[in-house]
Amino acid sequence: MAEPALVLKDPYVLDFLGLEDRYLERDLEDAILRDLEGFLLELGAGFSFVARQKRIQLDNEDFYIDLLFYNRKLRRLVAIELKLEEFRAEFKGQMELYLRWLERYEKEPGDEPPLGIILCAGKKQEQIELLELGKAGIHVAQYLTVLPPREVFQRKIHQALEAARSRLSAGDGTDSLSSA
């Protein structure tokens, strides 16, 4: 089974959705569903669409998971919460609630615990690190609705490559990406 860190991406480039400078969270969600095939390809291998605005009820209160997917390679549900603003610490509690509910009521025998992706317009790395989101099964990723300038894109690719090298080195003492 694949590791979440090897399957999940950051950032997600959503330029194919054709969003302008100003849009609402609902507009982002609508655009993703209009071009679901492109979004699935951007998410990566193994994702299958399950639900939009998945309603969950707790203590007579309704909550809605923006998008729900299943990843065949990870063998787990993946909840995606869309945010128009930069990451905020309170997003963790919201996603943890969704993940615990999914684990209790939607997880099938043989499935791994669900994962969450908080897809934000921006990230606050120190908050993300201090909250130890990875331990809670939560991945925070930035989305881009337009391709960044070449220099920014190259820097992000370089950072992703270095992070992958660090994970590989920490995992088994070898660095199979050194030739990349």
Side-chain angles (χ1 to χ4, degrees):
M1 179 176 55
E3 288 292 317
L6 297 176
V7 174
L8 303 178
K9 297 167 44 174
D10 181 33
Y12 290 94
V13 181
L14 306 181
D15 62 328
F16 59 89
L17 297 177
L19 294 170
E20 300 299 322
D21 290 341
R22 298 179 56 92
Y23 52 89
L24 301 173
E25 185 177 304
R26 182 66 178 219
D27 298 330
L28 176 60
E29 185 179 315
D30 287 343
I32 287 170
L33 290 175
R34 266 194 316 275
D35 198 342
L36 189 55
E37 180 182 11
F39 186 68
L40 285 170
L41 290 171
E42 180 60 21
L43 281 176
F47 281 91
S48 301
F49 179 72
V50 175
R52 170 189 195 179
Q53 293 296 311
K54 171 72 175 167
R55 180 177 170 248
I56 62 177
Q57 196 169 44
L58 295 161
D59 302 319
N60 295 320
E61 231 181 301
D62 289 336
F63 298 88
Y64 296 89
I65 300 170
D66 289 337
L67 299 169
L68 185 61
F69 293 87
Y70 185 82
N71 187 284
R72 293 178 44 229
K73 291 184 177 293
L74 297 173
R75 293 190 324 225
R76 33 176 108 198
L77 289 165
V78 179
I80 297 181
E81 190 61 26
L82 304 170
K83 300 295 182 187
L84 295 181
E85 64 265 29
E86 286 191 344
F87 176 80
R88 293 197 322 245
E90 61 261 26
F91 297 165
K92 178 186 181 190
Q94 178 186 20
M95 183 57 81
E96 283 180 323
L97 181 68
Y98 295 167
L99 295 179
R100 298 304 72 84
W101 187 91
L102 288 169
E103 187 163 8
R104 180 177 286 175
Y105 297 110
E106 295 288 322
K107 183 179 158 199
E108 296 289 335
D111 283 353
E112 296 294 323
L115 289 174
I117 299 174
I118 302 172
L119 212 47
C120 302
K123 291 172 55 171
K124 295 183 177 175
Q125 199 58 43
E126 190 171 10
Q127 287 183 29
I128 292 166
E129 289 172 14
L130 288 172
L131 289 169
E132 298 181 333
L133 296 173
K135 291 182 180 178
I138 300 171
H139 177 73
V140 177
Q142 181 179 6
Y143 65 86
L144 307 170
T145 56
V146 294
L147 281 173
R150 182 182 180 104
E151 303 78 36
V152 173
F153 197 61
Q154 286 175 324
R155 187 172 64 245
K156 287 194 176 285
I157 289 173
H158 179 71
Q159 289 169 344
L161 183 59
E162 289 303 315
R165 284 184 177 145
S166 295
R167 283 194 303 269
L168 283 173
S169 295
D172 63 9
T174 64
D175 187 354
S176 60
L177 294 178
S178 58
S179 61

